[in-house]
Structure formats: structure tokens, C-alpha cells
Amino acid sequence: MFSKTDVFLFYSFSLFYLLNANLNSVNLDIARQFKVLNGYPLDSQLNFTELATEYGYTAEEHMVTTEDGYILTIFRIVRGKNCQGPIRKPPVLLMHGLFMSSDLWLDSGPGAGLAYLISDECYDLWVGNVRGNYYSKRHTNLNPNTIEFWNFTVQEMGSYDVPAMIDYITNYTSSDTINYVGYSQGACIYLIMCSEQQSYCEKVQVAILLAPGSRLTYTKSIPFRLLTALYEISAPFLIETGIYQALPWGGIVQQLASYLCKDNITADTTCRYVLDKLDSPHPDSIETETIRVLYGHFPAGTSVKSMLWYNQALNVDDFQKFDYGPAVNAEVYNSATPPSYNLSATTNPTVVISGRNDFLSVPPDNEWLVNQLPNVIEHVVVEDPLWNHFDVPWSKLTSKDILPKITDYLYRYSKGGRG
């Protein structure tokens, strides 16, 4: 029999190890074993390919190098487990939101995760990761520990990351075009790509924008506003001390959240409360088990500079480039003020899907966006009046509330029979 002291020392060592383990080292499997033994759900410790494999889906890992040297990891599910027909063309690229990664599309499991559901409809599904999250922290020349590596915002994600993914996918599959599904920041960077690199926009047959981020003037999330303002205030200190990342995966915030939210009761109370405050409450939408899992992958990190752009976006009545101040703006943009993104350049068919109860991508900003885009074929407002921002990746209701519209438009702009 173990004494109380033995048990206490075991759990103390385990916790210390979990908080301090280098998850990028050979200790990864050992760290996982300790975590699972200490009550972490297994799914929260698995990466994209491992999660997909666990539920019977075959996933591939691909490396994409951008024009400016960032090495991005993207994933592919060629055929969903429940696909019974031919694979439809063109391929589909699914993009995540701020502080997220490809993993969010699997967190809610095969019955609700959009990566599972879209691939089950027989689409050749590619799932992206932008620079700065834990899948895409490498560069051909730059050291990720330097400020030069982290000198980016959504501008570079839209100008370099998405075009590089489109080039890679079309070359790999011998397809001339793709279809695009972008959530939140994933929609934002698509719009930036169309503004800055319109020739790539023309390679997208249809873009489906889920809770899109563009103009953020009326965002109602007080915690998000406070978070971006905090980064604005603290940026000089953070940069001076060599902190260039915002909420990285493996950092103290993510590790602590993952540790606390592994417990069922805490997940269903405190951890659910955090999501509700960041967005808005939607009772009986996100399963407690999903909450236990998602904090193992979220937050996934971005640059401090990106957070400065978000703070600016919350305080202007426009969708515009990074504001460096009048003097630097004059050098960079030949104007004292940053230019607006050219939304009229998004000329290909576009579908917007939004929720009434979304406190991050709010109805007035979505209506503004729809009015700016020249070829919106439908603006779908989800019927559920409580549908919010975090429901898109994590709700158990996705197959009922948003999947039918997504697959409807993917089907219209694809070739191949229904599965």
C-alpha cells in the first residue's frame, strides 16, 4: 500500500512535470501518459492526425513554405470514414480563427466537428494553420525566438499564408481551383488575400465565411476588448523583455486552462463560464466533454503585433491595415492613415453564415460586410437565436444548424455525385 505521502509526492511530481515538460521534445509521449493518468482526456493530448486516426479517419500532414519563408503545417483528409461515393472536386480548404489551430475542427468529435462532417460528404478536405500557432512556428531563415519572426499580423496571413496553401493544394491535386471555408480570422485573411492578391481570389470557386472577422467596430465581447487593450498597453514592456507571442500553446495560460478544465465539474462551470464571457451563453450547445478537450489545443498562439491590429480594429469604423502612426504610415503607405482593404476585389461567389447571439462577429458588422462585398449569393443567419461565435467549431448542433448550408454551397460548386 502507498502512504499518503507517496501519493502526494507522485501527484506533485506529475503536476510539476506537466507544467514544465518540453512538449516539443522526446518527452512528449511520457508527458501525455502522465497527463492521461492524472485525468486529462486523451483527445486533448492528441494532434490532428492522431485525433483523426483515433476515430477512423486517415489524415495526411503536409508542409507549405510561404513566399516570405514561413513553414506552415496543413492537414488533409482525403476521404471521410462515412463517404460512400466518389470524391468531389475541387478540394476544400478549411481555415481556423484567432488563437486556434486545425485541431478545433476535431475537438467536438465525429458527430459535430466540421473536419469530420465535411470529409464525410466526400470532399477532399484540407485544413490549414497560419503562421504563429503551434503547428506553424518554423521559418527557412528566421529564429522563432526573435522579434523578426513575430513581425506579422493578419496582413501577412492573408497576403502570404493563404496563397501559399492554395498554390500547394492546387499543385498537389492537379486542380485549377479550390473551395474555401473560413471561420472568424480565417474569413478575415481570405478577404485580405482578395484585396492584396486578387489573382488567388479568382482560384476560389465559392467562399463560405463563417462568423467572419472584418470590421470589428461593434464587437460586444468586453473580455476580448480588454485583452487587446492590455496587449496595446503592455506591448513595449513585452517586446523589451523578449515576449513576442500572445497566448502560445504550451504557455502558462494554456497549460493552466488545460489542467483545470480536465475536471468534469470545473469544465462544466468555470471553463464554460470563460467561453460564455468571451462570447455569449448558449445553454446545451457545447458538450462538457468538448470543453475538456478543446483547452488541450486552445489557445494556440499568435503574435503580439496581431493583437495590436485587433485592438485597432475594435476602435475604428473600417476594415483597414495596421496603423503604425502618421510618420511610419507615410513611409509604408504613402498616407498618414492606413488604407482600407479593398472588399470590392472579392468578386467570386461568397456565402456569409452568422449568428444573432455572436458577441465577437456581431450582426451590425456582418451586415456592413455583406453590403461591401459585390457577390454575396446568400447571407445565412442561423435560425437558432442563441447561435454564437464559439458554436461554429464546438457546438454539438453544427450538423443541424450550419452543415446543411455549407454542404449545399460546396455541392453547387463541386463536381461529383452525392455520397
Side-chain angles (χ1 to χ4, degrees):
M1 295 292 291
F2 294 108
S3 68
K4 291 182 178 179
T5 301
D6 292 332
V7 173
F8 173 78
L9 289 174
F10 172 77
Y11 279 100
S12 297
F13 171 78
S14 298
L15 177 58
F16 177 82
Y17 184 88
L18 296 178
L19 293 177
N20 293 279
N22 178 1
L23 297 181
N24 293 318
S25 73
V26 294
N27 293 323
L28 177 59
D29 288 336
I30 299 173
R32 283 178 176 173
Q33 291 171 20
F34 269 111
K35 287 189 172 186
V36 173
L37 286 172
N38 280 274
Y40 288 75
L42 176 62
D43 285 8
S44 73
Q45 303 305 302
L46 301 180
N47 63 28
F48 189 94
T49 53
E50 292 166 336
L51 266 172
T53 300
E54 181 190 9
Y55 291 103
Y57 293 74
T58 301
E60 302 171 354
E61 180 177 311
H62 296 256
M63 298 299 169
V64 175
T65 302
T66 67
E67 184 182 341
D68 60 344
Y70 286 81
I71 301 171
L72 316 175
T73 303
I74 65 174
F75 297 99
R76 182 192 193 193
I77 301 177
V78 182
R79 176 184 291 273
K81 183 176 70 172
N82 298 310
C83 167
Q84 300 300 320
I87 298 300
R88 299 191 181 109
K89 299 178 180 180
V92 176
L93 174 58
L94 179 64
M95 284 301 303
H96 62 80
L98 174 65
F99 290 135
M100 295 172 178
S101 73
S102 54
D103 296 346
L104 90 159
W105 302 117
L106 303 179
D107 285 335
S108 54
L114 280 178
Y116 295 119
L117 297 174
I118 294 173
S119 66
D120 278 343
E121 293 292 324
C122 296
Y123 293 99
D124 179 4
L125 182 67
W126 295 75
V127 188
N129 287 288
V130 296
R131 63 186 65 195
N133 80 11
Y134 59 88
Y135 282 119
S136 301
K137 292 171 72 173
R138 291 188 293 159
H139 194 278
T140 54
N141 299 309
L142 298 177
N143 185 328
N145 295 321
T146 63
I147 190 172
E148 290 79 12
F149 179 91
W150 296 97
N151 184 26
F152 62 80
T153 67
V154 291
Q155 168 71 25
E156 287 72 28
M157 299 174 196
S159 297
Y160 296 110
D161 293 3
V162 182
M165 293 181 208
I166 292 176
D167 277 343
Y168 184 92
I169 294 168
T170 53
N171 289 336
Y172 193 90
T173 61
S174 299
S175 175
D176 294 328
T177 60
I178 68 162
N179 287 329
Y180 187 93
V181 181
Y183 161 58
S184 192
Q185 180 181 268
C188 169
I189 61 178
Y190 170 78
L191 298 170
I192 291 172
M193 178 190 73
C194 291
S195 172
E196 306 299 289
Q197 303 243 36
Q198 191 178 21
S199 62
Y200 281 94
C201 196
E202 294 169 357
K203 295 182 179 182
V204 178
Q205 293 193 177
V206 66
I208 302 172
L209 310 183
L210 311 174
S214 59
R215 191 187 75 168
L216 302 176
T217 308
Y218 295 101
T219 294
K220 296 165 68 175
S221 171
I222 300 302
F224 185 63
R225 286 185 174 274
L226 291 174
L227 178 64
T228 62
L230 179 61
Y231 273 105
E232 179 72 35
I233 294 168
S234 61
F237 169 78
L238 294 174
I239 292 170
E240 181 68 24
T241 55
I243 299 174
Y244 315 121
Q245 300 182 62
L247 298 182
W249 181 81
I252 186 62
V253 172
Q254 187 273 321
Q255 290 275 26
L256 183 61
S258 182
Y259 172 72
L260 294 174
C261 299
K262 66 182 175 61
D263 176 75
N264 274 291
I265 295 175
T266 308
D268 198 34
T269 53
T270 305
C271 305
R272 185 182 298 279
Y273 177 79
V274 170
L275 294 178
D276 289 349
K277 295 306 290 183
L278 281 170
D279 189 7
S280 66
H282 187 182
D284 201 35
S285 177
I286 301 178
E287 298 275 22
T288 301
E289 183 62 20
T290 299
I291 295 175
R292 294 182 68 223
V293 171
L294 73 87
Y295 282 106
H297 306 130
F298 171 82
T302 190
S303 68
V304 169
K305 187 177 180 181
S306 283
M307 296 309 295
L308 302 186
W309 180 85
Y310 275 100
N311 186 64
Q312 294 172 6
L314 292 167
N315 292 286
V316 295
D317 188 19
D318 200 1
F319 179 40
Q320 64 184 36
K321 298 184 180 183
F322 191 88
D323 189 347
Y324 293 96
V328 179
N329 285 343
E331 295 178 12
V332 176
Y333 306 125
N334 293 317
S335 169
T337 57
S340 302
Y341 286 111
N342 180 17
L343 291 173
S344 65
T346 308
T347 55
N348 55 331
T350 306
V351 179
V352 174
I353 301 179
S354 63
R356 297 182 181 91
N357 197 36
D358 191 327
F359 274 33
L360 290 160
S361 176
V362 298
D365 288 330
N366 288 323
E367 290 294 340
W368 176 87
L369 175 62
V370 168
N371 290 331
Q372 301 297 311
L373 296 174
N375 194 9
V376 176
I377 51 180
E378 187 176 2
H379 178 197
V380 180
V381 179
V382 177
E383 289 185 9
D384 185 339
L386 295 181
W387 188 263
N388 64 28
H389 204 73
F390 292 146
D391 283 334
V392 174
W394 294 320
S395 174
K396 67 181 181 182
L397 306 172
T398 50
S399 62
K400 175 177 72 74
D401 285 346
I402 61 172
L403 181 68
K405 277 294 181 182
I406 294 172
T407 54
D408 177 29
Y409 281 102
L410 288 179
Y411 180 72
R412 294 188 197 186
Y413 290 89
S414 299
K415 295 179 181 178
R418 289 189 181 277

